[in-house]
Amino acid sequence: MLVCNKLTIAHGDVVAVSDVDLEVRAGETVALIGANGAGKTTLLHTISGLNRVRTGDIAFEGKSILSMPTDRRVSLGISQSPEGRKIFPGLTVEENLVVATASWKSWRQSCAEDLDRVFQLFPRLKERRSQLGWSLSGGEQQMLAISRALMARPRLLLLDEPSLGLAPRLAEEVYERVKVIADTGLTILVVEQNTVLALAVADRAYVLEAGRIVLNGTAAELRNDPRVREAYLGR
Ligand code: ATP
């Protein structure tokens, strides 16, 4: 579904991602793990069209998307839940969700069923639907950010550090929901520093270090790899 081919991405003179090959097949959950500053967010933003590529290509369902602006990529089915949630200020929970339907909804279409689906997934959001999004707890805001990405009706869901800043129990709760979403067959690329959680939900994973892919394999292979165990799993 997604193929990144020899991608190099720079912020000015800072090369953040070098020569990266990465693939996500339809129906898979793929994790991209790595420490602070490894280049994970840079790569995700580039797939969404928020950063430019220096060299290489990104193809979605067989076609290069490099020349497409972000809104076209969203219309094609690429939808991102950003690092740090980025909940829209001044909008209620429900308004934050409805905003994301702009990629497909015309004035006469209803998004009631889409709202019902995310409220089933995250019942807390239904209880809080009229409350300002910013007044939610960190965990609830993360649930809102994921739900907002789902409202765009994605075929490829990009999740940037869904566990960031959450207490361990809440991070687990968010990942339990990610697993439920994955089990519906939706294709997911998740960027994460919390390697334990990411490898628990992923089919396959890539390890990014200083902008380069240094390891990749099935989640089980990486969980048992001594280099991953020592550097990322603390044992
Ligand atoms: P984290 O987990 O801390 O978010 P990350 O793996 O997502 O880290 P990136 O945010 O992609 O890493 O950063 C990769 C490198 O690019 C870092 O060295 C960072 O300082 C640099 N970088 C990121 N954004 C910019 C920018 N807008 N301008 C200049 N350098 C940047």
Side-chain angles (χ1 to χ4, degrees):
M1 180 174 269
L2 179 82
V3 179
C4 298
N5 188 14
K6 304 221 167 311
L7 273 189
T8 295
I9 309 157
H11 301 287
D13 292 336
V14 179
V15 176
V17 168
S18 302
D19 210 26
V20 159
D21 288 324
L22 178 144
E23 204 178 296
V24 184
R25 298 174 203 134
E28 271 190 323
T29 296
V30 172
L32 179 65
I33 57 181
N36 276 125
K40 306 181 299 299
T41 296
T42 296
L43 185 56
L44 224 51
H45 278 182
T46 308
I47 296 167
S48 285
L50 300 170
N51 289 327
R52 282 173 180 239
V53 165
R54 185 179 272 187
T55 56
D57 192 18
I58 305 174
F60 183 67
E61 301 197 312
K63 286 199 188 122
S64 175
I65 55 171
L66 276 194
S67 62
M68 292 181 190
T70 297
D71 60 333
R72 284 257 340 257
R73 299 187 198 197
V74 177
S75 299
L76 274 185
I78 300 174
S79 178
Q80 182 171 345
S81 167
E83 180 176 5
R85 281 95 70 165
K86 309 276 195 296
I87 299 307
F88 295 118
L91 299 190
T92 65
V93 167
E94 186 165 335
E95 287 163 346
N96 264 279
L97 294 170
V98 172
V99 161
T101 63
S103 60
W104 57 267
K105 190 175 169 304
S106 67
W107 64 272
R108 55 173 94 215
Q109 279 175 299
S110 160
C111 62
E113 282 181 21
D114 301 73
L115 279 173
D116 274 352
R117 257 197 305 276
V118 297
F119 286 153
Q120 261 175 35
L121 202 56
F122 298 110
R124 199 98 45 85
L125 296 183
K126 186 172 187 177
E127 291 164 25
R128 310 264 198 276
R129 65 195 294 172
S130 306
Q131 197 171 314
L132 281 178
W134 268 20
S135 66
L136 298 179
S137 72
E140 290 162 354
Q141 284 192 24
Q142 186 57 63
M143 294 169 190
L144 179 55
I146 296 173
S147 299
R148 186 180 54 190
L150 289 173
M151 290 296 287
R153 296 188 174 170
R155 298 177 34 232
L156 171 65
L157 178 65
L158 306 175
L159 301 176
D160 196 347
E161 299 215 31
S163 77
L164 188 75
L166 302 185
R169 178 66 208 114
L170 268 176
E172 280 170 23
E173 203 180 305
V174 166
Y175 265 85
E176 280 163 17
R177 299 288 95 189
V178 172
K179 179 83 178 93
V180 171
I181 297 167
D183 286 345
T184 66
L186 186 61
T187 310
I188 300 177
L189 175 59
V190 57
V191 152
E192 200 34 277
Q193 282 195 48
N194 188 325
T195 308
V196 174
L197 288 176
L199 290 183
V201 78
D203 301 303
R204 291 190 304 114
Y206 293 81
V207 180
L208 195 63
E209 273 180 18
R212 291 183 182 273
I213 302 285
V214 292
L215 277 173
N216 76 87
T218 66
E221 281 165 354
L222 291 190
R223 260 196 307 270
N224 293 318
D225 188 293
R227 291 163 290 182
V228 174
R229 292 174 79 87
E230 192 181 336
Y232 297 100
L233 296 173
R235 51 192 130 105

